[in-house]
Amino acid sequence: MLKNAHRLLSLTTAAVVASTSFAFAEPSADLIAAAKKEGSLTTIALPHSWCGYGDIIAGFKAKYGIEVNELNPDASSGDEIEAIKANKGNTGPQAPDVIDVGLSFGPSSKAEKLIQPYKVSTWDSIPDDAKDAEGYWYGDYYGVLSFIVNTDIVKEVPKDWKDLTKSDYANSVALAGDPRGSNQAVQAVYAAGLAAGETDATKAGEAGLKLFADINKAGNFVPVIGKSASLAQGSTPIVVAWDYNGLSWRDTLKGNPPLEVVVPESGVVAGVYVQAISAFAPHPNAAKLWMEYLYSDEGQLGYLKGYCHPIRFNDLAKNNKIPKEMLDALPPAAAYEKAKFPTLDEQDKGKTAITTKWDSVVGANVQ
Protein backbone atom coordinates (compact mmCIF):
# COMPACT_ATOMS: atom_id res chain seq x y z
CA MET A 1 0.00 0.00 0.00
CA LEU A 2 1.62 3.24 -1.18
CA LYS A 3 5.16 1.94 -0.64
CA ASN A 4 6.89 4.92 -2.21
CA ALA A 5 6.42 7.99 -4.35
CA HIS A 6 7.63 6.28 -7.50
CA ARG A 7 5.11 3.49 -7.09
CA LEU A 8 2.27 5.93 -6.54
CA LEU A 9 3.22 8.02 -9.56
CA SER A 10 3.93 5.04 -11.80
CA LEU A 11 1.29 4.03 -14.27
CA THR A 12 -0.84 1.33 -12.71
CA THR A 13 -3.13 -1.07 -14.47
CA ALA A 14 -6.44 -0.51 -12.76
CA ALA A 15 -8.80 -3.39 -12.30
CA VAL A 16 -11.34 -3.57 -15.08
CA VAL A 17 -14.75 -2.61 -13.77
CA ALA A 18 -18.13 -2.36 -15.37
CA SER A 19 -18.87 0.52 -17.72
CA THR A 20 -15.23 1.21 -18.56
CA SER A 21 -16.40 2.90 -21.74
CA PHE A 22 -17.85 5.62 -19.52
CA ALA A 23 -14.72 5.98 -17.37
CA PHE A 24 -14.29 9.65 -18.21
CA ALA A 25 -17.92 10.56 -18.81
CA GLU A 26 -19.65 13.53 -17.27
CA PRO A 27 -21.96 12.76 -14.34
CA SER A 28 -25.29 11.40 -15.56
CA ALA A 29 -28.16 13.81 -16.08
CA ASP A 30 -30.17 11.76 -13.57
CA LEU A 31 -27.50 12.21 -10.86
CA ILE A 32 -27.26 15.94 -11.53
CA ALA A 33 -31.05 16.29 -11.38
CA ALA A 34 -31.29 14.27 -8.15
CA ALA A 35 -28.50 16.30 -6.55
CA LYS A 36 -30.11 19.59 -7.55
CA LYS A 37 -33.39 18.38 -6.08
CA GLU A 38 -31.62 17.82 -2.74
CA GLY A 39 -30.23 21.32 -3.20
CA SER A 40 -27.49 21.20 -0.61
CA LEU A 41 -24.24 19.46 0.35
CA THR A 42 -22.71 19.44 3.83
CA THR A 43 -18.93 19.25 4.06
CA ILE A 44 -16.66 19.26 7.11
CA ALA A 45 -13.02 20.10 7.80
CA LEU A 46 -12.29 21.89 4.51
CA PRO A 47 -10.39 25.14 5.19
CA HIS A 48 -10.37 27.28 2.05
CA SER A 49 -6.57 27.53 2.18
CA TRP A 50 -6.18 23.72 2.31
CA CYS A 51 -5.42 22.14 -1.07
CA GLY A 52 -7.27 24.84 -3.00
CA TYR A 53 -10.61 23.95 -1.41
CA GLY A 54 -11.85 27.54 -1.48
CA ASP A 55 -11.78 27.61 -5.28
CA ILE A 56 -12.92 23.98 -5.56
CA ILE A 57 -16.04 24.63 -3.46
CA ALA A 58 -16.76 27.81 -5.44
CA GLY A 59 -16.34 25.89 -8.70
CA PHE A 60 -18.77 23.16 -7.62
CA LYS A 61 -21.38 25.70 -6.54
CA ALA A 62 -21.03 27.65 -9.79
CA LYS A 63 -21.22 24.55 -11.97
CA TYR A 64 -24.23 22.89 -10.35
CA GLY A 65 -25.98 25.63 -8.37
CA ILE A 66 -25.93 23.52 -5.21
CA GLU A 67 -25.38 25.23 -1.85
CA VAL A 68 -22.48 24.00 0.27
CA ASN A 69 -22.92 24.02 4.03
CA GLU A 70 -19.42 24.04 5.52
CA LEU A 71 -19.03 22.59 9.01
CA ASN A 72 -16.03 23.27 11.27
CA PRO A 73 -13.25 23.99 8.74
CA ASP A 74 -10.56 23.32 11.36
CA ALA A 75 -11.84 19.89 12.43
CA SER A 76 -9.42 16.96 12.55
CA SER A 77 -9.94 13.61 10.83
CA GLY A 78 -11.04 12.20 14.18
CA ASP A 79 -13.57 15.01 14.57
CA GLU A 80 -15.03 14.19 11.15
CA ILE A 81 -15.61 10.58 12.12
CA GLU A 82 -17.19 11.64 15.41
CA ALA A 83 -19.49 14.03 13.52
CA ILE A 84 -20.83 11.11 11.47
CA LYS A 85 -21.36 9.01 14.59
CA ALA A 86 -23.07 11.82 16.47
CA ASN A 87 -25.49 12.58 13.63
CA LYS A 88 -26.58 9.14 12.43
CA GLY A 89 -30.27 9.99 12.70
CA ASN A 90 -29.93 13.69 11.98
CA THR A 91 -30.95 15.03 8.57
CA GLY A 92 -30.22 18.62 9.59
CA PRO A 93 -27.25 20.89 8.86
CA GLN A 94 -24.94 19.27 11.44
CA ALA A 95 -24.75 15.92 9.62
CA PRO A 96 -21.82 15.75 7.17
CA ASP A 97 -22.47 14.19 3.78
CA VAL A 98 -18.82 13.71 2.89
CA ILE A 99 -15.48 13.47 4.65
CA ASP A 100 -11.86 14.12 3.69
CA VAL A 101 -9.66 12.20 6.15
CA GLY A 102 -6.21 10.69 6.60
CA LEU A 103 -5.65 7.35 4.85
CA SER A 104 -5.95 5.21 7.98
CA PHE A 105 -9.44 6.56 8.68
CA GLY A 106 -10.79 5.10 5.41
CA PRO A 107 -10.59 1.38 6.28
CA SER A 108 -11.56 1.97 9.93
CA SER A 109 -14.66 3.93 8.86
CA LYS A 110 -15.60 1.16 6.46
CA ALA A 111 -15.18 -1.44 9.22
CA GLU A 112 -17.46 0.61 11.48
CA LYS A 113 -20.06 0.90 8.68
CA LEU A 114 -19.87 4.70 8.75
CA ILE A 115 -19.38 5.18 4.99
CA GLN A 116 -21.07 3.97 1.81
CA PRO A 117 -19.57 2.83 -1.51
CA TYR A 118 -19.62 4.86 -4.70
CA LYS A 119 -17.31 4.55 -7.71
CA VAL A 120 -16.74 7.80 -9.61
CA SER A 121 -16.65 7.94 -13.41
CA THR A 122 -12.85 8.31 -13.37
CA TRP A 123 -12.44 5.25 -11.11
CA ASP A 124 -10.04 3.42 -13.44
CA SER A 125 -7.51 6.26 -13.35
CA ILE A 126 -7.19 6.19 -9.54
CA PRO A 127 -4.22 3.93 -8.68
CA ASP A 128 -5.29 0.57 -7.25
CA ASP A 129 -3.10 1.04 -4.18
CA ALA A 130 -4.88 4.29 -3.30
CA LYS A 131 -8.48 3.08 -3.18
CA ASP A 132 -10.79 0.54 -1.60
CA ALA A 133 -11.64 -2.11 -4.18
CA GLU A 134 -15.33 -1.85 -3.34
CA GLY A 135 -15.41 1.94 -3.61
CA TYR A 136 -15.91 2.82 0.05
CA TRP A 137 -12.97 5.29 0.06
CA TYR A 138 -10.36 6.54 -2.38
CA GLY A 139 -7.34 8.82 -2.25
CA ASP A 140 -7.77 12.39 -3.43
CA TYR A 141 -4.34 14.04 -2.94
CA TYR A 142 -1.07 13.81 -1.04
CA GLY A 143 1.80 15.95 0.27
CA VAL A 144 4.82 15.72 2.59
CA LEU A 145 5.40 16.99 6.13
CA SER A 146 7.52 20.15 6.14
CA PHE A 147 8.73 22.93 8.42
CA ILE A 148 6.93 26.19 7.66
CA VAL A 149 9.21 28.95 8.93
CA ASN A 150 8.68 32.66 9.54
CA THR A 151 12.09 33.92 8.38
CA ASP A 152 11.53 37.38 9.83
CA ILE A 153 11.96 35.75 13.23
CA VAL A 154 13.93 32.56 12.50
CA LYS A 155 17.13 33.48 10.69
CA GLU A 156 18.66 29.99 10.57
CA VAL A 157 15.95 27.61 9.38
CA PRO A 158 15.90 24.03 10.73
CA LYS A 159 17.00 21.48 8.16
CA ASP A 160 16.02 18.27 9.91
CA TRP A 161 13.89 17.00 12.78
CA LYS A 162 16.64 16.86 15.39
CA ASP A 163 17.35 20.57 14.77
CA LEU A 164 14.04 21.40 16.47
CA THR A 165 15.62 20.70 19.88
CA LYS A 166 18.22 23.49 19.45
CA SER A 167 18.16 26.44 21.83
CA ASP A 168 17.81 28.75 18.81
CA TYR A 169 14.15 27.69 18.61
CA ALA A 170 12.90 28.51 22.11
CA ASN A 171 9.07 28.86 22.21
CA SER A 172 8.96 28.43 18.45
CA VAL A 173 7.81 24.96 17.36
CA ALA A 174 4.16 23.99 16.90
CA LEU A 175 2.23 21.22 15.21
CA ALA A 176 -0.64 22.01 12.84
CA GLY A 177 -3.04 19.88 14.87
CA ASP A 178 -3.53 17.96 18.09
CA PRO A 179 -1.52 14.70 17.82
CA ARG A 180 -4.22 12.88 19.75
CA GLY A 181 -6.68 13.24 16.85
CA SER A 182 -5.22 15.12 13.89
CA ASN A 183 -3.79 12.99 11.07
CA GLN A 184 -1.46 15.83 10.07
CA ALA A 185 0.01 16.01 13.57
CA VAL A 186 0.20 12.23 14.02
CA GLN A 187 2.12 11.86 10.78
CA ALA A 188 4.49 14.65 11.81
CA VAL A 189 5.40 12.79 15.01
CA TYR A 190 5.76 9.55 13.00
CA ALA A 191 8.07 11.30 10.52
CA ALA A 192 10.28 12.46 13.40
CA GLY A 193 10.55 8.83 14.48
CA LEU A 194 11.58 7.67 11.02
CA ALA A 195 14.24 10.39 11.02
CA ALA A 196 15.64 8.80 14.19
CA GLY A 197 16.33 5.67 12.16
CA GLU A 198 13.44 3.49 13.31
CA THR A 199 11.84 1.28 10.68
CA ASP A 200 9.31 -0.59 12.84
CA ALA A 201 6.11 1.46 12.86
CA THR A 202 5.40 1.23 16.59
CA LYS A 203 9.00 2.03 17.45
CA ALA A 204 8.96 4.93 14.96
CA GLY A 205 5.90 6.32 16.73
CA GLU A 206 7.62 6.00 20.09
CA ALA A 207 10.84 7.56 18.76
CA GLY A 208 8.83 10.48 17.42
CA LEU A 209 7.23 10.94 20.82
CA LYS A 210 10.68 10.96 22.43
CA LEU A 211 11.87 13.70 20.07
CA PHE A 212 8.82 15.85 20.79
CA ALA A 213 9.32 15.23 24.51
CA ASP A 214 12.88 16.55 24.04
CA ILE A 215 11.56 19.55 22.07
CA ASN A 216 9.11 20.23 24.90
CA LYS A 217 11.74 19.82 27.64
CA ALA A 218 14.02 22.21 25.77
CA GLY A 219 11.27 24.85 26.02
CA ASN A 220 10.82 24.92 22.26
CA PHE A 221 7.36 23.38 21.89
CA VAL A 222 4.33 25.67 21.79
CA PRO A 223 1.15 23.69 22.72
CA VAL A 224 -1.22 25.42 20.32
CA ILE A 225 -2.45 24.39 16.88
CA GLY A 226 -0.17 26.23 14.46
CA LYS A 227 -1.86 28.16 11.64
CA SER A 228 -0.97 30.89 9.16
CA ALA A 229 -2.16 33.52 11.66
CA SER A 230 0.10 32.26 14.46
CA LEU A 231 2.99 32.07 11.98
CA ALA A 232 2.39 35.65 10.91
CA GLN A 233 2.00 36.92 14.47
CA GLY A 234 5.19 35.15 15.52
CA SER A 235 3.62 33.13 18.32
CA THR A 236 4.53 29.92 16.43
CA PRO A 237 7.35 30.90 14.03
CA ILE A 238 7.93 27.25 13.08
CA VAL A 239 4.89 25.09 12.24
CA VAL A 240 5.16 21.45 11.17
CA ALA A 241 2.52 21.00 8.47
CA TRP A 242 1.86 19.51 5.06
CA ASP A 243 3.88 21.24 2.35
CA TYR A 244 0.73 22.34 0.52
CA ASN A 245 -0.56 24.17 3.59
CA GLY A 246 2.73 26.00 3.98
CA LEU A 247 2.86 26.97 0.31
CA SER A 248 -0.72 28.24 0.47
CA TRP A 249 0.04 30.26 3.62
CA ARG A 250 3.11 31.70 1.91
CA ASP A 251 0.99 32.91 -0.99
CA THR A 252 -1.74 34.29 1.27
CA LEU A 253 0.70 36.27 3.42
CA LYS A 254 2.46 37.66 0.32
CA GLY A 255 5.80 38.16 2.04
CA ASN A 256 4.39 39.74 5.20
CA PRO A 257 6.09 37.97 6.84
CA PRO A 258 8.20 35.91 4.45
CA LEU A 259 7.80 32.15 4.87
CA GLU A 260 10.11 29.34 3.86
CA VAL A 261 8.82 25.81 3.30
CA VAL A 262 11.54 23.31 4.26
CA VAL A 263 11.25 19.63 3.39
CA PRO A 264 13.39 17.89 6.03
CA GLU A 265 16.55 16.05 5.04
CA SER A 266 15.32 12.80 6.58
CA GLY A 267 12.04 11.42 7.82
CA VAL A 268 10.17 12.69 4.75
CA VAL A 269 6.67 11.29 5.17
CA ALA A 270 4.08 11.61 2.45
CA GLY A 271 0.46 11.45 3.45
CA VAL A 272 -2.50 10.47 1.33
CA TYR A 273 -5.93 11.79 2.24
CA VAL A 274 -9.07 9.98 1.20
CA GLN A 275 -12.66 10.89 0.36
CA ALA A 276 -15.75 9.02 1.47
CA ILE A 277 -19.51 9.48 1.64
CA SER A 278 -21.24 9.12 5.00
CA ALA A 279 -23.43 6.05 5.28
CA PHE A 280 -26.03 8.40 6.79
CA ALA A 281 -25.62 11.29 4.32
CA PRO A 282 -28.77 13.46 4.24
CA HIS A 283 -27.89 14.46 0.67
CA PRO A 284 -26.48 11.25 -0.90
CA ASN A 285 -26.88 12.36 -4.52
CA ALA A 286 -25.23 15.72 -3.90
CA ALA A 287 -22.45 13.79 -2.18
CA LYS A 288 -21.97 11.58 -5.25
CA LEU A 289 -21.97 14.62 -7.53
CA TRP A 290 -19.35 16.25 -5.28
CA MET A 291 -17.17 13.15 -5.69
CA GLU A 292 -17.62 13.28 -9.46
CA TYR A 293 -16.49 16.90 -9.43
CA LEU A 294 -13.45 16.26 -7.20
CA TYR A 295 -12.23 13.42 -9.41
CA SER A 296 -12.89 15.18 -12.71
CA ASP A 297 -9.94 16.83 -14.46
CA GLU A 298 -11.24 20.19 -13.23
CA GLY A 299 -11.40 19.11 -9.60
CA GLN A 300 -8.04 17.35 -9.66
CA LEU A 301 -6.33 20.40 -11.16
CA GLY A 302 -8.00 22.42 -8.40
CA TYR A 303 -6.00 20.38 -5.89
CA LEU A 304 -2.79 20.93 -7.85
CA LYS A 305 -3.45 24.66 -7.96
CA GLY A 306 -3.57 24.43 -4.15
CA TYR A 307 -0.13 22.73 -4.19
CA CYS A 308 -1.46 19.22 -3.50
CA HIS A 309 -0.46 16.34 -5.75
CA PRO A 310 -3.85 15.02 -6.95
CA ILE A 311 -4.31 11.25 -6.89
CA ARG A 312 -4.90 11.24 -10.67
CA PHE A 313 -1.69 13.23 -11.23
CA ASN A 314 -0.13 10.52 -13.37
CA ASP A 315 -3.15 10.20 -15.63
CA LEU A 316 -3.40 13.96 -16.05
CA ALA A 317 0.31 14.21 -16.86
CA LYS A 318 0.14 11.36 -19.38
CA ASN A 319 -2.66 13.13 -21.20
CA ASN A 320 -0.97 16.56 -21.08
CA LYS A 321 -3.73 18.02 -18.93
CA ILE A 322 -1.45 19.87 -16.48
CA PRO A 323 -0.55 23.51 -17.28
CA LYS A 324 3.20 24.18 -17.10
CA GLU A 325 2.74 27.07 -14.67
CA MET A 326 1.17 24.67 -12.15
CA LEU A 327 4.14 22.34 -12.31
CA ASP A 328 6.58 25.25 -12.05
CA ALA A 329 4.89 26.50 -8.86
CA LEU A 330 5.65 23.27 -6.96
CA PRO A 331 8.83 22.67 -4.92
CA PRO A 332 11.69 20.92 -6.78
CA ALA A 333 11.03 17.24 -7.41
CA ALA A 334 14.33 16.36 -5.70
CA ALA A 335 12.87 17.37 -2.34
CA TYR A 336 10.40 14.48 -2.65
CA GLU A 337 12.85 11.76 -3.67
CA LYS A 338 13.19 10.39 -0.12
CA ALA A 339 9.45 10.44 0.54
CA LYS A 340 8.03 7.42 2.32
CA PHE A 341 4.38 6.42 1.98
CA PRO A 342 3.55 4.47 5.16
CA THR A 343 1.33 1.47 4.57
CA LEU A 344 -2.05 1.30 6.26
CA ASP A 345 -0.67 -1.18 8.80
CA GLU A 346 2.29 1.10 9.54
CA GLN A 347 0.02 4.12 9.88
CA ASP A 348 -2.28 2.26 12.24
CA LYS A 349 0.55 1.06 14.48
CA GLY A 350 2.23 4.45 14.49
CA LYS A 351 -1.05 6.25 15.18
CA THR A 352 -1.89 3.96 18.09
CA ALA A 353 1.49 4.53 19.72
CA ILE A 354 1.31 8.29 19.25
CA THR A 355 -2.30 9.00 20.18
CA THR A 356 -2.30 6.79 23.28
CA LYS A 357 1.10 7.83 24.66
CA TRP A 358 1.33 11.53 23.76
CA ASP A 359 0.02 12.68 27.15
CA SER A 360 2.29 10.41 29.19
CA VAL A 361 5.45 10.86 27.10
CA VAL A 362 5.26 14.47 25.90
CA GLY A 363 2.72 15.90 28.32
CA ALA A 364 1.74 18.93 26.26
CA ASN A 365 -1.99 19.66 25.92
CA VAL A 366 -2.24 20.95 22.35
CA GLN A 367 -5.27 23.23 21.88
Side-chain angles (χ1 to χ4, degrees), residues 1-6 8-9 102-104 141-146 161 183-184 186-188 190-192 194 241-244 263-264 266-273 309 311 335-344 346-347:
M1 187 73 181
L2 303 174
K3 294 294 184 186
N4 53 57
H6 300 293
L8 182 68
L9 290 177
L103 176 64
S104 63
Y141 56 82
Y142 67 94
V144 301
L145 271 311
S146 303
W161 293 96
N183 179 65
Q184 183 172 206
V186 167
Q187 295 308 313
Y190 185 76
L194 290 183
W242 295 118
D243 56 344
Y244 47 79
V263 177
S266 63
V268 182
V269 166
V272 174
Y273 276 72
H309 282 72
I311 208 69
Y336 297 82
E337 288 178 358
K338 296 180 182 178
K340 303 293 184 186
F341 285 81
T343 65
L344 276 171
E346 289 168 340
Q347 284 204 31

Side-chain angles (χ1 to χ4, degrees), residues 77-231:
S77 294
D79 293 334
E80 295 181 66
I81 302 307
E82 289 306 312
I84 290 180
K85 291 179 179 178
N87 291 281
K88 286 183 179 180
N90 182 2
T91 58
Q94 293 307 307
D97 291 305
V98 290
I99 54 173
D100 178 353
V101 292
L103 176 64
S104 63
F105 290 89
S108 61
S109 299
K110 177 185 177 183
E112 292 184 63
K113 297 181 171 30
L114 297 175
I115 53 180
Q116 61 178 282
Y118 177 71
K119 292 185 178 181
V120 292
S121 302
T122 52
W123 179 258
D124 286 1
S125 62
I126 302 171
D128 286 350
D129 56 1
K131 64 189 178 189
D132 173 66
E134 296 178 287
Y136 279 85
W137 55 263
Y138 19 102
D140 43 8
Y141 56 82
Y142 67 94
V144 301
L145 271 311
S146 303
F147 309 142
I148 321 303
V149 186
N150 177 336
T151 53
D152 255 357
I153 295 172
V154 180
K155 300 305 180 185
E156 188 73 28
V157 302
K159 293 180 172 58
D160 213 346
W161 293 96
K162 62 182 180 296
D163 293 344
L164 300 179
T165 61
K166 291 180 178 179
S167 58
D168 304 18
Y169 306 129
N171 299 307
S172 296
V173 182
L175 291 167
D178 182 346
R180 294 163 296 191
S182 161
N183 179 65
Q184 183 172 206
V186 167
Q187 295 308 313
V189 178
Y190 185 76
L194 290 183
E198 293 293 349
T199 53
D200 175 81
T202 299
K203 289 181 179 177
E206 292 170 347
L209 287 170
K210 182 182 182 304
L211 179 74
F212 273 89
D214 291 343
I215 294 169
N216 194 35
K217 287 172 188 171
N220 294 0
F221 189 70
V222 185
V224 302
I225 294 174
K227 302 176 183 177
S228 60
S230 61
L231 266 166

